[in-house]
Amino acid sequence: MAKLFGTDGVRGRVFQELSPLLALRLGMAIASYFGEGSVILVGRDSRAGGDAILKAVVAGLLSGGVRVRIVSGGGFAPTPAIQYATKSLGYDGAVVVTASHNPPEYNGIKVIGPLGVEIGREAEKRIEEAYFSERFRLVPWSRAIYDAGVEDRVIDSYVDAVVDNIDVGLVRRRGFRVLVDCANNVSSLTTPSILRRLGAKPYTLACELSPLPYREPEPTPSSLIEAGTIVKALGLDLGVGHDGDGDRAILIDEQGEVWWGDRTAALLSPYVADHKLRDAPRRVVTAVSTSSIASQYLEEHGLRVEWTPVGSINISYMLLEKGGVAGFEENGGFIYPPHLLARDGGMTIALFLEMMARENMKASQLYARLPRYHAIKTKIPMGREKAMKVVEHLREKYEGKGLRLVTVDGIRVEGDDYWFLVRPSGTEPVLRIMVEARSLEKARLLAEKLAEEARRIQA
Ligand code: MG
């Protein structure tokens, strides 16, 4: 059967693959899944076309007899705020119109279950079945609900919840100065408020909503160069760059250096285990894209590492099933389970400030605890089938060579002073190559070699 859902919801270029018609039908399919009378929260980020897509989804939901509440003020809220509201305000589910970190011409639709976590693969399949067979459960006019309501508690209840998880007095005493780069999107509505509540002074960059962000929506060392320069020039304590919908946080130390999320999570996880969640199982769940630096550091601190395929819902569901102190991805998604079993950029920056306050250290001093590897990430345009061929070829090549292989998603190979991951993307038609090595030279050579091999097999 054809597929709609990728790694993380339905994505496409807005008004092209992701047409209003698709959104309407998907709304009807989602209504068929949740059923008549269920209460669904709907919100969005500030991407182009979001308003039209949201209205089409809402029309589809209403035609299936679903009670809809739209986040007040045009639907704008970070994904984690909508997820938290779904759980804490007793909704049966939520729909978020967002394409997260994808380029600005993309938009997407993501479905949340009652625990505030994205629905599982089985539920996605049921929605796809309804969508493609067009067997929608519509209600007769006498039972239909014709208007969506408004939910005005989403932003405030989320900010309160993040702050409630933090030792506010401890952080306030430090009076941190923090740069916030919201990529002109919805974390503008929450992260500056969280920082103020923690006694920190937010310096805002691109914290007004626009469909045209000043940088690419994915927070990376290259997209955060300007943010890093500002942190250093103004002598701030820390910087944070969010993705479009605010579930990722990539941090910048006071020297202006940008750190991938697995480094941040490697520091946060033992802190959380030792100071905040002493009764939880000492387990950390992460995806195969996480650096060996992080996994080795965690193991040295007595934490067990559990690997999942890429895609944060795999991490959420494993945490739900087995418990643990944290879950994370290298891209800046960090899960703090007592708050929400989903990535949350606002929670991440709040926890990091608490760690800096308690350990009385500068951010760069904390990151200096980790060994230094050099990372190269590239992607090669390629369909899924060809990409799987490349993965298969590499598996045959590296098997039985005494290296540690993880094959739950693509192929991950660990050597003594390097590791790499090659996998088909779940959101774009590309093959992703990720290499880290102790020397930049080695990382570059290895990345080039892998890319060359991939192109040769593709041809
Ligand atoms: Mg996101």
Side-chain angles (χ1 to χ4, degrees):
M1 195 185 70
K3 271 188 68 67
L4 274 179
F5 288 89
T7 313
D8 204 354
V10 178
R11 299 270 173 89
R13 285 169 302 165
V14 71
F15 292 176
Q16 296 185 43
E17 300 89 9
L18 186 73
S19 66
L21 187 59
L22 183 150
L24 176 68
R25 286 181 180 199
L26 188 56
M28 292 164 81
I30 294 167
S32 306
Y33 168 74
F34 281 104
E36 183 182 353
S38 52
V39 191
I40 303 294
L41 181 62
V42 181
R44 68 167 175 122
D45 65 18
S46 67
R47 282 172 176 276
D51 184 48
I53 298 295
L54 180 144
K55 283 171 176 158
V57 172
V58 167
L61 290 171
L62 289 172
S63 73
V66 164
R67 294 170 190 275
V68 177
R69 304 274 180 279
I70 301 173
V71 177
S72 59
F76 296 118
T79 297
I82 294 169
Q83 291 177 289
Y84 182 77
T86 305
K87 173 180 88 161
S88 65
L89 302 177
Y91 280 89
D92 296 308
V95 177
V96 188
V97 177
T98 174
S100 180
H101 61 284
N102 288 153
E105 65 271 27
Y106 280 75
N107 214 322
I109 295 167
K110 146 184 193 135
V111 186
I112 311 295
L115 299 175
V117 179
E118 290 93 328
I119 55 166
R121 302 294 182 213
E122 272 312 304
E124 286 178 353
K125 242 186 236 160
R126 282 178 52 197
I127 292 172
E128 283 171 341
E129 268 161 30
Y131 178 93
F132 288 111
S133 69
E134 296 192 29
R135 278 199 294 272
F136 302 120
R137 288 157 58 189
L138 305 179
V139 290
W141 77 271
S142 56
R143 295 214 307 271
I145 298 153
Y146 294 102
D147 296 299
V150 172
E151 174 57 80
D152 61 10
R153 297 169 290 180
V154 173
I155 299 292
D156 289 346
S157 63
Y158 165 76
V159 171
D160 287 347
V162 170
V163 173
D164 284 348
N165 276 291
I166 298 296
D167 185 339
V168 177
L170 178 73
V171 183
R172 288 194 80 93
R173 281 197 286 281
R174 288 291 298 275
F176 289 119
R177 300 159 74 224
V178 182
L179 181 86
V180 190
D181 178 339
C182 296
N184 299 103
N185 218 320
V186 282
S187 37
S188 314
L189 303 171
T190 50
T191 296
S193 311
I194 291 168
L195 292 171
R196 282 194 194 94
R197 293 272 298 273
L198 296 176
K201 185 173 182 184
Y203 289 69
T204 55
L205 171 63
C207 286
E208 74 283 333
L209 303 185
S210 165
L212 295 171
Y214 90 99
R215 62 159 163 92
E216 52 176 289
E218 182 163 20
T220 64
S222 59
S223 72
L224 296 176
I225 284 177
E226 280 141 306
T229 307
I230 297 169
V231 169
K232 190 170 180 203
L234 298 183
L236 307 182
D237 298 296
L238 195 67
V240 56
H242 290 296
D243 69 330
D245 65 333
D247 55 4
R248 298 186 187 184
I250 290 286
L251 302 191
I252 304 165
D253 71 24
E254 81 287 355
Q255 313 274 357
E257 182 158 5
V258 182
W259 292 93
W260 282 110
D262 48 2
R263 272 67 168 177
T264 301
L267 298 172
L268 275 178
S269 302
Y271 172 76
V272 163
D274 295 340
H275 296 280
K276 299 184 76 77
L277 304 177
R278 279 183 285 261
D279 297 330
R282 289 183 73 88
R283 177 185 296 112
V284 172
V285 180
T286 191
V288 288
S289 48
T290 281
S291 171
S292 308
I293 293 176
S295 55
Q296 282 163 16
Y297 185 83
L298 293 171
E299 280 160 10
E300 283 163 23
H301 286 77
L303 290 161
R304 206 167 76 231
V305 177
E306 204 86 50
W307 296 105
T308 71
V310 172
S312 75
I313 77 166
N314 302 310
I315 299 173
S316 294
Y317 281 93
M318 194 175 280
L319 275 173
L320 185 64
E321 186 192 327
K322 297 189 168 178
V325 294
F328 68 88
E329 297 173 307
E330 108 293 345
N331 59 26
F334 184 80
I335 299 175
Y336 180 59
H339 165 64
L340 187 65
L341 275 176
R343 301 171 290 193
D344 186 339
M347 189 74 240
T348 308
I349 178 79
L351 284 168
F352 200 88
L353 289 175
E354 188 192 282
M355 176 169 68
M356 280 174 67
R358 189 174 315 274
E359 311 216 351
N360 200 17
M361 281 203 173
K362 292 181 174 175
S364 68
Q365 292 171 324
L366 290 166
Y367 285 108
R369 291 173 176 170
L370 302 169
R372 208 170 252 276
Y373 270 33
H374 299 268
I376 308 272
K377 290 188 190 190
T378 52
K379 52 186 182 182
I380 303 174
M382 193 181 296
R384 191 174 176 88
E385 226 167 89
K386 288 244 165 94
M388 290 307 294
K389 243 189 217 167
V390 175
V391 168
E392 207 34 59
H393 164 83
L394 292 173
R395 187 197 301 230
E396 277 166 25
K397 180 170 170 185
Y398 284 94
E399 240 164 16
K401 298 242 161 102
L403 300 164
R404 187 165 156 194
L405 264 61
V406 182
T407 54
V408 296
D409 182 5
I411 179 162
R412 176 192 168 94
V413 176
E414 290 181 22
D416 286 339
D417 58 352
Y418 71 91
W419 72 276
F420 69 81
L421 172 70
V422 178
R423 60 178 280 275
S425 162
T427 52
E428 295 167 73
V430 298
L431 179 78
R432 294 193 188 282
I433 298 177
M434 229 172 140
V435 180
E436 283 191 3
R438 209 172 275 278
S439 83
L440 183 58
E441 180 66 13
K442 178 157 191 169
R444 273 202 190 121
L445 280 174
L446 188 50
E448 266 165 35
K449 205 176 95 186
L450 288 166
E452 224 177 78
E453 247 173 302
R455 285 200 194 92
R456 187 169 49 76
I457 293 160
Q458 181 192 25

